């Protein structure tokens, strides 16, 4: 391709549109299903199917450990995994701003390809639109995904009972801390990066260890505070966390201290929480510890009959406070 | 449980038991006011209230800059933000604060260029990159934060910037404490004094408390254990009928404070009478840019007209800020006024008393009750 | 009303320092605290070093604990 920037003509359906697909997108994302370039993909699924969609608008677009491209694959794969399904096919909708550098688009697509390969998922169909300068901020990506639900599993907040354990799969806040650091002139140690990763494999080994895991949820926007409140409310049980049991990296706590954030509200892109019966806890933890994405998995709390619909946390001094539903986005504060 | 946590919990339990023992002979509950909003949040986040015996009450003071900033200031900020050639820079805390009709968040949705900064200094590169715009920093805060804005004014001068301004609503803590003590409506027995204000002012700035009002005060930090230590010290003084200022934050609080910061405050600002939400106008309790630096004061360079605020609601933030009622006693608390739709600033600010009560389970939260 | 955190001074360039807290680094202005050296711990608020941190509050808590348990008062 000669020109190095996206123009309105790339989205107009003519020759340039075709070139964008054949010279840029297909060489990177190509696979037997996509290469057909039909109006839609015809695929075979096995039985009970899960289906989801999500859109990605993150700034900055590239950050240590990931990019909007990697995020757009992992996020949708993970949403499927949380229903007990193994993602098989994704669709990709690209909305590009006029003037967007082609080189950057290539890097984003390469990240999508790599994440798709890691997750064992195929990008089966796609669409590209270009909007005028100023009508979008660089690039937005929508992905939808479809996956086979693992037979014998039944993931639902309705399964939650008092006396269940709450497991968290690893350190919280790595993703949000990485993005916030990039926004506010903070340099992180080299080993801290976004945790953005596809969780399908981890979920599979967990469900093999205990098919009756009550519920799985990935604590993205709003952090573990948001998902635990949702689950407490949907199930009508209480959730009591132990602050000292929640794994957090010192550097992530450092970002929180500097900018005034509560780590419970930080977004994660490669973590999950699971609610499960006490007898399932040990086998599931063992399976998680043997998986690269679950090495630091830990029990962080349990469900209770009292405090129905509420989340509490026992603090380092032994007091218990309410963990509230997060409100709006995180902004650095001085107060 | 980690050993460290266990030791902490045992220490906390012992401090609390000792505090209870100290105040028992008084035969009445003692009331201590944490002046600073960051203390309020720390107390709630650590669940300290429910650890304390019923004989030790904590009441929150007027030390949340967001909460005491009046409608009128927000209206001015929003009016400036509406000017096409203005970029407003602000701490994240101010975005949701309601003025008489809208907030900076709403102004931003309406197209105003409002940018959140971590440091006032972050405004200067923005000013440099936008020479055709006026960059206005919302200078709010107490003695801790005021020097950072003053230093930013000096840095702008050194860099020869002619398009950087501040809109000042900065305030001083001691005059507000004097006002509270004038009638002691809050009936406090002692003050947990704001550690980071004292970093700048020095612990000596609070010597007037025992001297003029026979009122104990303890300067302390923001770790739960430091707060417990200050409560224990206040209980010691109250039990003995003594009054003095103690410093439990000696690692950063010196008697004289930070002389360089104090010099800078004196160089850039002058004290003025200032309006505090809920407390009214307090003499010499605010800081305004002085004549020598007036060209950095947007209110002087380009005054903006705002209509007098005419908001009438049942909101009782003022009494909450004076410590004379607790948030539950306000008819709006948790009903018309919740964090998503805050009526008063005490519910808006993360460190506002009402928000802390609402968010962390009002008063003494007991799990499952 | 004022969040501030202790951080270690790693580097000084004019009136700007690089400070580190739990492995995380950011620039902090020394305009309010000119007398700082590399290696000092400083209290940082809104991008400014506000005071040199001396001693250790954990040690003070420990001293208080000894006092409560019958030792002499060593914390002032």
């Amino acid at each position: 391709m000669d020109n190095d920037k996206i123009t309105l003509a790339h989205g107009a359906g003519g020759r340039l549109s075709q070139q964008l697909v054949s010279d840029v997108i297909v060489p990177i994302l190509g696979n037997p299903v996509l290469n057909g370039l039909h109006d839609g993909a015809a695929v075979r699924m096995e039985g009970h199917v899960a289906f989801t969609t999500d859109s990605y608008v993150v700034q900055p677009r590239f950050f240590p450990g990931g990019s909007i491209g990697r995020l757009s694959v992992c996020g949708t794969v993970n949403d499927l995994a949380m229903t007990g399904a193994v993602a098989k096919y994704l669709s990709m909708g690209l909305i590009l701003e006029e003037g967007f550098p082609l080189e950057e688009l290539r890097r984003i697509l390469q990240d999508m390809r790599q994440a798709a390969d890691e997750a064992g998922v195929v990008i089966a169909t796609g669409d590209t639109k270009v909007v005028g300068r100023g009508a979008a901020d660089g690039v937005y990506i929508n992905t939808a995904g479809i996956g086979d639900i693992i037979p014998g599993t039944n993931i639902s907040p309705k399964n939650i009972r008092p006396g269940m354990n709450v497991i968290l799969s690893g350190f919280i806040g790595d993703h949000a801390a990485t993005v916030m650091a990039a926004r506010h002139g903070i340099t992180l140690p080299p080993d801290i990066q976004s945790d953005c990763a596809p969780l399908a494999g981890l979920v599979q080994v967990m469900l093999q260890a205990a098919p009756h895991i009550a519920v799985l949820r990935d604590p993205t926007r709003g952090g573990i505070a948001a998902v635990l409140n949702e689950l407490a409310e949907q199930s009508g049980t209480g959730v009591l966390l132990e602050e000292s049991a929640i794994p957090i990296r010192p550097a992530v706590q450092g970002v929180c201290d500097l900018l005034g954030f509560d780590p419970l509200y930080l977004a994660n892109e490669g973590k999950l929480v699971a609610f499960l019966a006490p007898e399932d806890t040990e086998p599931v933890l063992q399976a998680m510890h043997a998986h690269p994405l679950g090495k630091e998995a830990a029990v962080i709390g349990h469900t209770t009959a009292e405090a129905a619909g509420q989340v509490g946390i026992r603090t380092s001094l032994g007091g218990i406070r309410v963990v509230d539903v997060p409100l709006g986005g995180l902004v650095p504060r001085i107060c | 449980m980690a050993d460290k946590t266990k030791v902490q919990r045992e220490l906390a339990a012992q401090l609390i038991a000792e505090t209870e023992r100290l105040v028992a002979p008084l035969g009445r509950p003692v009331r201590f006011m944490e002046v600073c909003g960051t203390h309020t949040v720390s107390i709630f986040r650590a669940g300290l209230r429910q650890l304390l015996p019923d004989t030790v009450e904590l009441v929150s003071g007027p030390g949340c800059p967001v909460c005491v900033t009046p409608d009128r200031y927000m209206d001015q900020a929003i009016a400036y933000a509406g000017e096409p050639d203005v970029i407003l820079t602000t701490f994240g805390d101010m975005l949701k604060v309601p003025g008489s009709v809208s907030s900076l968040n709403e102004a931003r949705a309406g197209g105003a260029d409002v940018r959140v900064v971590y440091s006032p200094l972050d405004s200067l590169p923005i000013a440099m990159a936008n020479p055709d715009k006026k960059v206005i920093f919302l200078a709010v805060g107490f003695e801790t934060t005021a020097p950072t804005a003053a230093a930013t004014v000096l840095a702008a001068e050194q860099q020869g910037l002619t398009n950087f301004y501040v809109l000042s609503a900065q305030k001083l803590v001691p005059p507000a404490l004097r006002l509270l003590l004038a009638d002691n409506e809050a009936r406090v027995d002692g003050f947990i004094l704001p550690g980071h204000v004292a970093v700048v002012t020095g612990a000596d700035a609070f010597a007037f408390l025992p001297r003029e009002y026979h009122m104990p005060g303890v300067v302390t930090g923001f770790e739960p254990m430091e707060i417990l230590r200050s409560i224990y010290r206040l209980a010691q003084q109250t039990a003995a009928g003594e009054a003095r200022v103690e410093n439990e934050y000696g690692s950063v609080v010196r008697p004289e404070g930070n002389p360089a910061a104090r010099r800078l405050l004196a160089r850039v600002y002058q004290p003025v009478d200032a309006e505090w939400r809920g407390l009214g106008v307090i003499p010499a309790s605010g800081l305004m840019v002085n004549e020598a630096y007036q060209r950095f004061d947007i209110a002087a360079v380009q005054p903006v007209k705002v209509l007098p605020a005419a908001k009438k609601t049942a909101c009782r933030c003022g009494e909450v800020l004076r410590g004379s009622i607790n948030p539950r006693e306000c008819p709006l608390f948790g009903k018309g006024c919740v964090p998503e739709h805050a009526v008063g600033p005490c519910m808006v600010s993360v460190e506002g008393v009402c928000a802390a009560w609402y968010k962390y389970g009002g008063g003494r939260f007991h799990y499952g009750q | 009303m004022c969040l501030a955190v202790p951080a270690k001074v790693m580097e000084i360039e004019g009136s700007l320092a690089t400070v580190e807290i739990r492995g995380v680094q950011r620039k902090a202005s020394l305009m309010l605290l000119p007398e700082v050296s590399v290696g000092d711990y400083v209290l940082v608020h809104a991008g400014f070093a506000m005071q040199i941190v001396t001693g250790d509050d954990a040690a003070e808590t420990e001293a208080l604990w000894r006092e409560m348990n019958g030792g002499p008062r060593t914390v002032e």
Side-chain angles (χ1 to χ4, degrees):
Chain A
M1 236 175 190
D2 303 335
N3 18 17
D4 55 356
K5 285 194 184 341
I6 291 290
T7 65
L8 285 174
H10 282 115
R15 179 178 299 171
L16 273 178
S17 297
Q18 285 171 20
Q19 273 183 13
L20 180 65
V21 172
S22 62
D23 296 0
V24 178
I25 295 175
V26 168
I28 298 173
L29 295 183
N31 60 66
V33 190
L34 181 71
N35 295 354
L37 297 179
H38 292 306
D39 283 350
V43 298
R44 188 176 296 280
M45 302 297 288
E46 279 163 20
H48 203 183
V49 157
F51 182 40
T52 188
T53 183
D54 207 343
S55 301
Y56 302 86
V57 298
V58 65
Q59 277 292 354
R61 290 188 286 274
F62 293 87
F63 43 83
S67 66
I68 189 171
R70 183 170 174 81
L71 211 53
S72 70
V73 170
C74 296
T76 297
V77 166
N78 292 349
D79 282 349
L80 289 173
M82 296 310 118
T83 66
V86 180
K88 291 194 75 171
Y89 299 102
L90 298 187
S91 72
M92 169 195 74
L94 283 178
I95 295 174
L96 295 160
E97 184 187 6
E98 180 187 12
F100 192 72
L102 268 178
E103 182 45 41
E104 201 175 324
L105 177 60
R106 284 202 179 88
R107 284 168 61 203
I108 289 169
L109 292 171
Q110 276 153 4
D111 284 353
M112 291 185 75
R113 176 62 193 244
Q114 198 197 327
D117 289 349
E118 278 174 46
V121 67
V122 168
I123 295 172
T125 185
D127 174 61
T128 305
K129 292 284 186 299
V130 179
V131 297
R133 202 177 280 274
D137 188 5
V139 58
Y140 301 146
I141 305 176
N142 170 275
T143 56
I146 187 166
D148 290 316
I149 288 184
I150 299 171
T153 62
N154 170 24
I155 309 280
S156 163
K158 292 196 189 82
N159 301 329
I160 298 175
R161 303 275 176 274
M164 285 186 158
N165 282 324
V166 180
I167 288 180
L168 175 68
S169 66
F171 292 112
I172 56 166
D174 293 3
H175 175 74
T178 306
V179 172
M180 287 296 167
R183 268 186 217 163
H184 295 288
I186 293 169
T187 311
L188 293 171
D191 57 320
I192 304 292
Q193 51 178 37
S194 167
D195 56 355
C196 183
L199 292 169
L202 179 65
V203 167
Q204 270 177 296
V205 300
M206 290 171 70
L207 286 170
Q208 273 158 19
H212 299 300
I213 289 175
V215 80
L216 296 163
R217 217 33 96 77
D218 56 339
T220 56
R221 263 183 315 183
I224 63 173
V227 295
L228 293 176
N229 268 291
E230 265 172 45
L231 292 173
E233 197 184 314
Q234 288 166 7
S235 67
T237 58
V239 175
L240 183 56
L241 303 174
E242 194 66 45
E243 192 167 53
S244 59
I246 298 174
I248 178 163
R249 295 182 205 272
V252 172
Q253 186 65 55
V255 172
C256 289
D257 291 350
L258 265 173
L259 299 179
F261 297 154
D262 183 340
L264 299 179
Y265 296 90
L266 295 185
N268 309 273
E269 292 294 343
K271 295 293 168 341
L272 60 80
V273 293
F275 285 50
L276 71 190
E279 63 270 22
D280 286 338
T281 306
E282 231 2 82
V284 168
L285 271 181
Q286 269 181 24
M288 294 177 84
H289 290 158
H291 190 278
L293 295 179
K295 282 205 287 273
E296 288 90 14
V299 174
I300 60 164
H302 64 276
T303 55
T304 60
E306 64 270 29
Q310 273 192 316
V311 182
I313 187 166
R314 195 189 309 276
T315 68
S316 58
L317 290 190
I320 297 175
R321 69 174 162 95
V322 176
V323 176
D324 193 22
V325 184
L327 261 188
L330 288 174
V331 285
R333 56 191 186 86
I334 51 124
C335 298
Chain B
M1 197 188 305
D3 275 359
K4 209 180 131 209
T5 305
K6 201 168 154 234
V7 170
Q8 282 261 314
R9 284 187 188 174
E10 280 170 11
L11 247 170
Q14 192 180 358
L15 260 174
I16 290 160
E18 283 293 309
T19 302
E20 185 171 13
R21 192 186 57 76
L22 279 169
V23 301
L26 292 171
R28 64 169 177 96
V30 291
R31 270 163 80 84
F32 300 136
M33 176 179 275
E34 84 273 2
V35 175
C36 171
T38 309
H39 275 144
T40 304
V41 171
S42 231
I43 286 164
F44 277 101
R45 280 182 49 85
L48 284 190
R49 265 169 206 266
Q50 52 131 333
L51 288 174
L52 290 170
D54 290 339
T55 48
V56 178
E57 291 175 10
L58 293 181
V59 43
S60 307
C64 156
V66 169
C67 304
V68 298
T69 299
D71 278 351
R72 195 183 146 69
Y73 177 83
M74 293 316 300
D75 291 346
Q76 282 179 334
I78 292 161
Y80 282 119
E83 303 280 334
D85 66 338
V86 164
I87 299 173
L88 215 63
T89 59
T90 176
F91 297 128
D93 314 58
M94 304 302 290
L95 287 181
K96 286 195 295 187
V97 182
S100 48
V101 286
S102 96
S103 69
L104 286 173
N105 255 344
E106 287 168 44
R108 187 145 82 160
D113 194 345
V114 180
R115 304 187 191 182
V116 173
V117 291
Y118 160 70
S119 168
L121 268 187
D122 297 342
S123 311
L124 299 188
I126 297 174
M128 212 169 297
N130 296 278
D132 53 334
K133 296 276 174 80
K134 296 187 175 77
V135 174
I136 304 173
F137 173 68
L138 297 187
V140 296
F142 293 95
E143 288 91 332
T144 325
T145 315
T148 69
T152 304
V153 166
L154 283 192
E157 184 187 39
Q158 283 160 13
Q159 294 174 24
L161 284 171
T162 54
N163 64 332
F164 170 76
Y165 306 90
V166 296
L167 180 64
S168 177
Q170 296 160 120
K171 293 191 163 50
L172 302 170
V173 171
L177 297 188
R178 284 178 182 279
L179 182 91
L180 289 176
L181 286 171
D183 58 2
N184 199 4
E185 210 182 310
R187 306 179 318 280
V188 298
D189 294 297
F191 286 104
I192 300 170
L193 293 169
H196 291 153
V197 163
V199 164
V200 171
T201 63
D204 288 352
F206 297 97
F208 71 94
L209 291 174
R211 198 174 55 225
E212 295 175 34
Y213 301 94
H214 194 73
M215 180 60 65
V218 178
V219 177
T220 197
F222 298 84
E223 292 299 322
M225 195 57 88
E226 293 171 331
I227 297 171
L228 280 181
R229 268 164 38 192
S230 71
I231 293 169
Y232 170 74
R233 292 292 184 212
L234 285 172
Q236 275 183 325
Q237 290 195 45
T238 309
E242 294 168 357
R244 60 183 179 276
V245 170
E246 293 181 83
N247 183 2
E248 283 287 320
Y249 204 24
S251 60
V252 286
V253 174
R254 321 272 188 260
E256 74 287 2
N258 176 337
R262 291 172 63 187
R263 270 197 304 275
L264 214 63
L265 284 178
R267 185 165 158 194
V268 176
Y269 300 126
Q270 66 189 56
V272 288
D273 299 351
E275 184 189 348
W276 296 53
R277 189 189 301 255
L279 302 179
V281 175
I282 306 178
S285 68
L287 291 173
M288 194 177 87
V289 179
N290 65 26
E291 214 166 314
Y293 290 92
Q294 213 167 46
R295 66 183 184 282
F296 295 100
D297 183 0
I298 193 69
V301 172
Q302 185 185 314
V304 73
K305 268 220 164 82
V306 295
L307 297 171
K311 194 166 67 174
K312 275 212 184 90
T313 73
C315 171
R316 297 179 70 183
C317 269
E319 291 153 277
V320 171
L321 286 168
R322 287 198 297 274
S324 53
I325 65 166
N326 79 44
R328 281 257 170 83
E329 294 171 61
C330 173
L332 298 182
F333 179 79
K335 300 183 185 83
C337 185
V338 293
E340 297 91 326
H341 314 279
V343 176
C346 298
M347 188 61 92
V348 174
S349 167
V350 279
E351 62 172 33
V353 189
C354 295
W357 273 61
Y358 186 83
K359 187 169 166 160
Y360 298 123
R364 290 167 199 266
F365 171 68
H366 292 283
Y367 185 77
Q369 289 172 24
Chain C
M1 65 199 81
C2 318
L3 286 177
V5 290
K8 188 177 182 181
V9 178
M10 309 301 286
E11 213 180 276
I12 297 176
E13 229 177 287
S15 66
L16 214 55
T18 301
V19 299
E20 184 176 300
I21 164 174
R22 299 175 198 253
V24 170
Q25 296 195 343
R26 199 193 188 277
K27 298 280 184 218
S29 169
L30 299 180
M31 285 177 79
L32 303 175
L33 196 67
E35 65 272 20
V36 168
S37 320
V38 169
D40 283 346
Y41 281 83
V42 294
L43 189 72
V44 177
H45 169 69
F48 285 80
M50 304 298 296
Q51 189 57 277
I52 296 176
V53 181
T54 57
D56 178 3
D57 278 312
E60 289 189 29
T61 297
E62 216 169 285
L64 177 59
W65 183 79
R66 281 198 299 274
E67 179 192 325
M68 285 191 306
N69 289 281
R73 180 167 185 180
T74 54
V75 184
E76 276 309 323

